[in-house]
Every structure is written in C-alpha cells, then in structure tokens.
Amino acid sequence: SNNKLDGAIPTSIGYISNLASLVLDTNKIPNAIPTSIGTLRWLSTLKLGFNLLTGTIPTTIRNPSNLSYLSLNNNALTGTVPEEIGGLTNLYGLLLNNNKLTGTMPTSICDRKAYGLYGTYNTDNNGNGTILFTPCP
C-alpha cells in the first residue's frame, strides 16, 4: 500500500493462482476492478481502497471463498453492491464507503451484521454527505 502505483490492475492478475493477499490500497490505480479477481480462489484479503477505481463491483468477487476482508472504500465505484458478496461466508470486514454506489445494501449482507459486517454510506464528489447509498438498518 501507498506505493504511488498508477497503472490499472491487469486482467492477468487472475493467473496468480496461489495469491492469498492483494494489498494495493492508497495508490492511484485507475479503471475497473478486473473480473479475473474472481479466479483467485485462495484470496483472503483484498484491499483496493483509496484509489481511482471506476465501474461496478464485479459479481465474480464472490468466487474467492476464503475472502475475509474486502476494502473498496474511497474510489469512484458506481452501480449497486452485488448480492453475491453476501455469499462470502468467511467475510468479516467490508468497507465500501465513499464511492458512488447507489441503491441499498443487499439483505444477504445485512443479515450477517452480527458477524462484523455493516453498511456504510457514500458521499458525493464534494464530500457534502449526500447519501446515495442506503446502509443496513
């Protein structure tokens, strides 16, 4: 983290089959999260917060069944939070705040609130606190 990286995450990242932790937070990584992230079956930690990521959260994010920590906060991600994230049974940490997400937190995630998962809100680009995304009740 905080390595001043500024290139996109290559789709070939999915070929690193034994990768357990990918920590690329606090950089200037642009573009979308590659769907090939879903092929990293041993991935337990994915930290991509504080970057310049755009696009939607790929539904393939559910595929690494060992994923326990997912940090996508402080980017420019759009769309809704995929229901599939709720299927990550080992997930205990989920950070989605300060993006451009819309809609509500899927019930499959909110139902797991007792396991340390909780909803967050998103602010607009000016940081004025406009709620674009409804967290868990």
Side-chain angles (χ1 to χ4, degrees):
S1 67
N2 203 14
N3 293 308
K4 300 181 182 169
L5 300 175
D6 60 6
I9 301 169
T11 57
S12 58
I13 192 87
Y15 293 123
I16 308 173
S17 58
N18 291 324
L19 188 65
S21 182
L22 183 59
V23 179
L24 296 173
D25 58 314
T26 318
N27 284 292
K28 295 181 180 178
I29 298 171
N31 301 341
I33 301 168
T35 58
S36 60
I37 288 281
T39 63
L40 301 172
R41 64 183 223 170
W42 299 111
L43 192 65
S44 63
T45 301
L46 180 58
K47 292 185 178 182
L48 299 176
F50 295 94
N51 277 294
L52 304 171
L53 294 170
T54 57
T56 60
I57 301 171
T59 57
T60 57
I61 205 87
R62 74 177 182 273
N63 294 340
S65 60
N66 292 324
L67 195 60
S68 60
Y69 190 84
L70 177 59
S71 170
L72 302 176
N73 57 304
N74 295 284
N75 282 292
L77 297 171
T78 57
T80 60
V81 177
E83 184 77 33
E84 290 84 356
I85 290 178
L88 293 167
T89 57
N90 292 317
L91 193 66
Y92 71 86
L94 177 63
L95 297 173
L96 300 173
N97 55 301
N98 297 318
N99 278 291
K100 298 177 182 178
L101 298 169
T102 57
T104 59
M105 185 72 87
T107 56
S108 62
I109 297 169
C110 293
D111 289 348
R112 298 190 49 232
K113 196 172 180 180
Y115 297 101
L117 295 178
Y118 54 90
T120 55
Y121 70 92
N122 293 278
T123 58
D124 67 12
N125 286 335
N126 298 319
N128 68 12
T130 303
I131 296 177
L132 305 171
F133 174 74
T134 305
C136 296

